[in-house]
Structure formats: structure tokens, C-alpha cells
Amino acid sequence: MNVIEKIWAKARSGGKTIVLPEGDEPRTVAAAEIVAREGLAKPILLTPERMREKADAYAAALYELRKAKGWSYEDAAKRVADPMYYGMMMVQTGDADGLVSGAVHSTGDMLRPALQIVKTKPGVKLVSSAFIIGCPNKSLGEDGLLLYADCVVNPCPTAEELAHIAVSTAETARTLCGVAEPRVAMLSFSTLGSAEHELVAKVREATKIAHALAPEVLLDGELQLDAALVPEVAAIKAPGSPVAGRANVLVFPDLQSGNIGYKIGERLGGAGGFAVLQGLAKPCNDLSRGCSVADIVNTIAVTAVQATAL
Ligand code: ACO
């Protein structure tokens, strides 16, 4: 079974309810039909009628959650009229197990309410993302499976934030994708001291912090992409590294390199996939506005699996 087949199988056994705030978007409607037919989850397409059901109760609950941040009751009531906030309140109150959105809305539109309402899991400082990528070249990563982070959320992570991203992504590789041994490469334009720059120093520092946070995780840096993935290059540039030449998790130093990197892989190399958010207390996932119906189905399935694991 490939990773998608495994995720579909796990989703089927969970019976989770996933809210879709973009309830009249045609690809989302088509995806919801497939999800229901295949038994992957129980989808809820949000409509203006549905949003009248609990608007007052959610406005009151949202006001309680955000009043310390200076929101008035009117602020909360106005937000709850927005499907993204209404959907997020369904997840927060347990009326849904997870949320998938983003076929129309921007990533920021979806992330902000998730961060304000659902917030991070206990013990987790930072929400970030992992792209689950299938490469045509099966000699790379874990039989062609690679995880990239963070290509969606944190524009400019500090060394400490980068370390948390690395540890969360190793965890996602293990728990969601069934990777028995995550091997994490902390990417840079330098390999183990081949260049000196403050940007390289940040990755080196992040590697040190990540080792301290999760000593059991196989993690090395700083590594260039070729040294991380190609055994022959690793033998020259990073002999003896436990990760170089066999990495299955790639941690980019910032959002620009991560976002550009995954799109280069997808458009030039045919290495496509989908993103999951990691670190949220309840699962909410974002779509690309260019997503296909299949992407939405897979993202709903993976959200259902994340909800099962909670
Ligand atoms: N983890 C946990 N909490 C966070 C994080 C994070 N990474 N980032 C922000 N927060 C919290 C803040 O603490 C704050 O909480 P509070 O209001 O309870 O105090 C809340 O979220 C809002 O924080 P702000 O800093 O005011 O939010 P901001 O307006 O900066 O938005 C956002 C945060 C949406 C994540 C922003 O950083 C962003 O837009 N990131 C990039 C998204 C993007 O465009 N990605 C690329 C495209 S995606 C693609 O191509 C697939």
C-alpha cells in the first residue's frame, strides 16, 4: 500500500466528521460526494442556512475565547458570520472533528482563525506544515516518499522555531505516514561547514536545539539538498553522517525556500503531494487554490486520520 492507500484505509475506520466551510465551491461539493460515498469521513458542507443554527451560541463562545485579546461580543458575532470562523467554532466545540478549506480562501484566511481559536496542542509551541510528497524516483527518501517542512506557515522561523518544525515533522512522518525511521536533513546552501554565513549559522543552531529536544530522532545539518538525498554526493560532502544521502524529511530554512522548493519539485520534477498542518490542537488543513477534486478528497481523508489519532 502506498501512503495515500494507507491514509484512506485508516480514515474509513474512524467515521470522523469534517466541516467544509467553502460549502458551495464546486470542487469541494464534488469531493464531499466522493468522501461520503467512499466512507472516508462524514463531510459537512457549510451553507448560510446551516450557519444560522448555532450562530448565537458560537458568538458567545468565541467572545469568551477572545475577550482577553480585546474582542467585543459584536466582534465575535461579526466573525461567526464568516464561514471560516463558524467552521472553526464547530471544530473547537466538538460539533466537527476537523476542517478542510482553501479552495477559494487564501492560506492566511484559513490559518488565522485556526491559530486564534483552535490553537496549539498541549506541549507544542508552534503550528507548522508538512508536505507529503510522492517522487517519481523511488530511490529517493522512503521508497519515493518525502516530507518537506515548512512550506506553508512560518515566514521566517528563528533557530528555535526551526528546531520545533523539524521535530514535529519527524513525528508526522512516523505517526501519519508510517515512516519507521524518520531521517531529518536541516537544509542550507552549506554542508557541514563548507560555507560561513549568518543564515548557515541559524540552521546549525537549529540542528543543535533539535538534537536536544528529540535526541532519539536521526537528524543532521546543515546539509545541501544534494548531500541530503544522493548517496554519492553524501559520501563526498558528508561522510559518516547518519542522514546524508538517505534523508526522508527535508527541513527548509524559511518559507521562501520551502515554498519555492516544493513548487520546483512539483513543476519540473513531477514530485507532487499535499500539505498537512501539524501542532494544532484539532486538525484543520489548508488547500491550494489550484487544487483538484482528488487533492480535496485526500486532504479530507488525512484530516480524518489526524482526528482519529487525537
Ligand atoms: N504557531 C502558533 N501560533 C501562531 C503562529 C504559529 N506558527 N503564528 C501566529 N500564531 C498565533 C499568534 O500567537 C496569535 O495568537 P493570539 O491572537 O491568540 O495572540 C495569532 O496566531 C495571530 O497571530 P498574528 O501574528 O497576529 O497573525 P498574522 O496576521 O501574522 O498571521 C499567519 C499568521 C497567518 C500564519 C501568517 O504568518 C501567514 O500569513 N503566513 C504565511 C501563509 C502563506 O501565505 N503561506 C504561503 C502560501 S501556502 C501554499 O503555497 C501552499
Side-chain angles (χ1 to χ4, degrees), residues 15 30 32 158 161 190 250:
T158 62
E161 288 170 344
S190 165
L250 303 177

Side-chain angles (χ1 to χ4, degrees), residues 73-150:
Y73 179 83
E74 289 67 34
D75 292 332
K78 209 162 80 188
R79 296 288 206 313
V80 160
D82 172 340
M84 203 68 74
Y85 277 87
Y86 190 97
M88 219 54 86
M89 287 308 294
M90 289 184 73
V91 175
Q92 178 63 17
T93 57
D95 288 337
D97 298 307
L99 176 148
V100 171
S101 177
V104 181
H105 289 79
S106 72
T107 300
D109 288 342
M110 184 266 160
L111 275 174
R112 203 165 291 107
L115 297 172
Q116 291 170 339
I117 295 171
V118 173
K119 297 188 173 284
T120 52
K121 278 187 206 170
V124 173
K125 280 195 173 170
L126 192 77
V127 172
S128 60
S129 73
F131 257 94
I132 300 169
I133 298 288
C135 294
N137 181 348
K138 299 288 179 216
S139 71
L140 297 176
E142 199 71 15
D143 197 25
L145 172 72
L146 281 164
L147 280 86
Y148 303 165
D150 170 10

Side-chain angles (χ1 to χ4, degrees), residues 6 8 10 13 24 32 35 39 78 113 117 119 134 141 155 179 224 236 250-251 255 272 277 295-296:
K6 283 185 200 161
W8 276 43
K10 278 194 206 166
S13 62
D24 58 357
V35 163
K78 209 162 80 188
I117 295 171
K119 297 188 173 284
V179 175
Q224 288 162 286
I236 298 164
L250 303 177
V251 176
L255 189 55
L277 293 176
D295 293 333
I296 304 176

